[in-house]
Amino acid sequence: MPYVNIKVTREGVTREQKAELIAGVTDLLTRVLQKNPALTHVVIDEVDLDNWGLGGLTVTEFRRGKP
Amino acid sequence: MPYVNIKVTREGVTREQKAELIAGVTDLLTRVLQKNPALTHVVIDEVDLDNWGLGGLTVTEFRRGKP
Amino acid sequence: MPYVNIKVTREGVTREQKAELIAGVTDLLTRVLQKNPALTHVVIDEVDLDNWGLGGLTVTEFRRGKP
Amino acid sequence: MPYVNIKVTREGVTREQKAELIAGVTDLLTRVLQKNPALTHVVIDEVDLDNWGLGGLTVTEFRRGKP
Amino acid sequence: MPYVNIKVTREGVTREQKAELIAGVTDLLTRVLQKNPALTHVVIDEVDLDNWGLGGLTVTEFRRGKP
Amino acid sequence: MPYVNIKVTREGVTREQKAELIAGVTDLLTRVLQKNPALTHVVIDEVDLDNWGLGGLTVTEFRRGKP
């Protein structure tokens, strides 16, 4: 019955990479906890760089090396 | 004081259906737990078919009956 | 494929009330969006009164009518 | 190691306001709990007015003063 | 900068299994998206069987094969 | 209408610190976005050290400086 939510920054994650994340995390839960893959849900959220903060800065600022 | 988050796949949920979900879940919490509707918040997230996984596949693949 | 998360304050919600919330919200999603109940997951989180804030106060303070 | 998720309605929050929210909440966690800002993540979600419910209405309806 | 939230039913997940889930999902994000493990946060929530619903039933009822 | 969720490790956060976090984040949203404090909800989740992962390790291991 697991539910997994993966949040990453929105920067060109491809359909293939999403499929790989979903397959990988479902497999991990089956292997470690014997969870039923048919009942395992995974939701990937892609977050704009202006909407993710780290170290008190938006990722946009963080990447520019501000201040 | 309830907060409810509903995640569904993004496939043409109409404004009327959203209003119906919000009214229904708020009513349910009032009826079952006597919660104050004025303090009940509901957030609906619509998730792209490539971003939702089930059975180790994206819903896009799942619907195609892959493999 | 819906996933629903219901957050309420932890104050004696009974097993019967939880079952009623789960049945009610699953039924709502079936009725409004024709979702498959077998794929509908609902998670109820009960939150301590000191850990929920409203109007800038914890619910504990809020209920006491502080200040 | 904190993780903070801020959900607000999507109505023209500017890049500067997002930066201010991220700086403010990170500073708050450093000040109150001595958390390391370098490990503090903040994610801001902007939610469409039709997807947020309050008092059993969507915010769109709520703002119109319905009924 | 990923943040991952894993929700499973609370039924004796061991400390070793939690460590394995955390290592596995962090490794997956490094491998598929080249994410920095030092910035990858994983939070595991264990949910009581009465608080998780599937098919309109609590998992407690579901496991008993109700009705 | 904001909803804020703050996740921190469970290690003796006091009732006073929780009240300070709730007051601070509500004040921030009022100041930056003119949000109504009466409609601002904050939920604090305290997460066991074995259930939070960073750098591929549980915080328990991470703090011990493993490996």
Side-chain angles (χ1 to χ4, degrees):
Chain A
M1 253 133 324
Y3 170 79
V4 180
N5 180 228
I6 300 175
K7 286 185 198 297
V8 292
T9 41
R10 188 193 304 280
E11 29 191 348
V13 183
T14 66
R15 169 178 284 202
E16 286 71 28
Q17 288 172 322
K18 291 174 188 176
E20 216 176 324
L21 289 175
I22 286 168
V25 83
T26 304
D27 179 64
L28 181 71
L29 282 156
T30 306
R31 193 153 40 77
V32 177
L33 295 179
Q34 289 75 55
K35 294 294 182 187
N36 181 354
L39 296 178
T40 298
H41 292 255
V42 183
V43 169
I44 300 171
D45 290 327
E46 298 170 90
V47 178
D48 289 346
L49 301 189
D50 281 347
N51 287 29
W52 195 303
L54 178 66
L57 301 173
T58 66
V59 172
T60 310
E61 296 169 325
F62 191 84
R63 293 270 172 83
R64 274 207 306 262
K66 184 200 171 182
Chain B
M1 252 132 329
Y3 170 78
V4 181
N5 180 227
I6 299 175
K7 287 186 199 295
V8 293
T9 41
R10 187 194 304 282
E11 30 192 347
V13 183
T14 66
R15 170 179 285 201
E16 287 69 29
Q17 289 171 322
K18 290 175 189 177
E20 217 176 322
L21 289 175
I22 287 168
V25 83
T26 304
D27 179 64
L28 182 71
L29 283 155
T30 306
R31 195 154 37 78
V32 178
L33 296 179
Q34 290 75 53
K35 295 294 181 184
N36 181 354
L39 296 178
T40 299
H41 293 255
V42 183
V43 169
I44 300 170
D45 291 326
E46 298 169 271
V47 177
D48 289 345
L49 299 190
D50 282 346
N51 288 27
W52 195 303
L54 179 65
L57 302 173
T58 66
V59 173
T60 310
E61 296 169 324
F62 191 85
R63 293 269 173 84
R64 274 206 306 259
K66 183 200 172 181
Chain C
M1 251 130 330
Y3 169 80
V4 180
N5 180 227
I6 299 175
K7 287 186 199 296
V8 293
T9 41
R10 186 193 305 283
E11 29 192 346
V13 183
T14 66
R15 168 179 286 202
E16 286 70 28
Q17 289 171 322
K18 291 174 188 177
E20 216 175 325
L21 290 176
I22 287 168
V25 83
T26 304
D27 179 63
L28 181 71
L29 283 155
T30 306
R31 195 154 38 79
V32 178
L33 296 179
Q34 290 75 54
K35 294 295 182 185
N36 181 355
L39 296 177
T40 298
H41 293 255
V42 183
V43 169
I44 300 170
D45 290 326
E46 298 169 271
V47 177
D48 289 345
L49 300 190
D50 281 347
N51 288 29
W52 195 303
L54 178 65
L57 302 172
T58 66
V59 172
T60 311
E61 296 169 326
F62 191 85
R63 293 270 172 83
R64 274 206 307 260
K66 181 199 172 183
Chain D
M1 248 130 333
Y3 169 78
V4 180
N5 180 226
I6 299 175
K7 287 186 200 297
V8 293
T9 41
R10 188 193 306 280
E11 30 192 346
V13 183
T14 66
R15 168 178 286 200
E16 286 69 30
Q17 287 171 323
K18 291 174 187 176
E20 216 175 324
L21 289 176
I22 286 168
V25 84
T26 305
D27 179 63
L28 181 71
L29 283 156
T30 306
R31 194 154 39 78
V32 178
L33 295 180
Q34 290 75 55
K35 294 294 181 185
N36 181 354
L39 296 178
T40 299
H41 293 254
V42 183
V43 168
I44 300 170
D45 289 328
E46 297 169 90
V47 178
D48 289 345
L49 300 190
D50 281 346
N51 288 28
W52 195 302
L54 178 65
L57 301 172
T58 66
V59 173
T60 310
E61 296 169 324
F62 191 85
R63 292 271 173 80
R64 274 207 305 261
K66 182 202 172 183
Chain E
M1 249 131 331
Y3 169 80
V4 180
N5 181 225
I6 299 174
K7 287 187 199 296
V8 293
T9 41
R10 188 193 305 281
E11 27 192 349
V13 183
T14 66
R15 168 179 286 202
E16 286 70 29
Q17 288 171 322
K18 291 174 188 176
E20 216 174 324
L21 289 175
I22 287 168
V25 82
T26 305
D27 179 64
L28 181 71
L29 283 155
T30 306
R31 194 152 39 76
V32 178
L33 296 179
Q34 289 75 54
K35 293 295 181 185
N36 181 354
L39 295 178
T40 299
H41 293 254
V42 183
V43 169
I44 300 170
D45 289 327
E46 298 169 270
V47 177
D48 289 344
L49 300 190
D50 281 347
N51 288 29
W52 195 303
L54 178 65
L57 301 173
T58 66
V59 173
T60 310
E61 297 168 324
F62 191 85
R63 293 270 172 83
R64 273 206 308 259
K66 181 198 172 183
Chain F
M1 250 129 333
Y3 170 78
V4 180
N5 180 226
I6 299 175
K7 287 186 198 297
V8 293
T9 42
R10 187 193 306 279
E11 30 192 346
V13 182
T14 66
R15 169 178 285 202
E16 286 70 28
Q17 288 171 322
K18 291 174 188 176
E20 217 176 324
L21 289 175
I22 287 167
V25 83
T26 304
D27 179 64
L28 182 71
L29 282 155
T30 307
R31 196 153 39 77
V32 178
L33 295 179
Q34 289 75 56
K35 294 294 181 187
N36 180 355
L39 295 178
T40 299
H41 293 255
V42 183
V43 169
I44 300 170
D45 290 327
E46 299 170 89
V47 178
D48 289 345
L49 299 191
D50 281 347
N51 288 28
W52 195 303
L54 179 65
L57 302 172
T58 66
V59 172
T60 310
E61 296 169 325
F62 190 85
R63 291 271 172 84
R64 273 207 307 261
K66 182 197 173 185

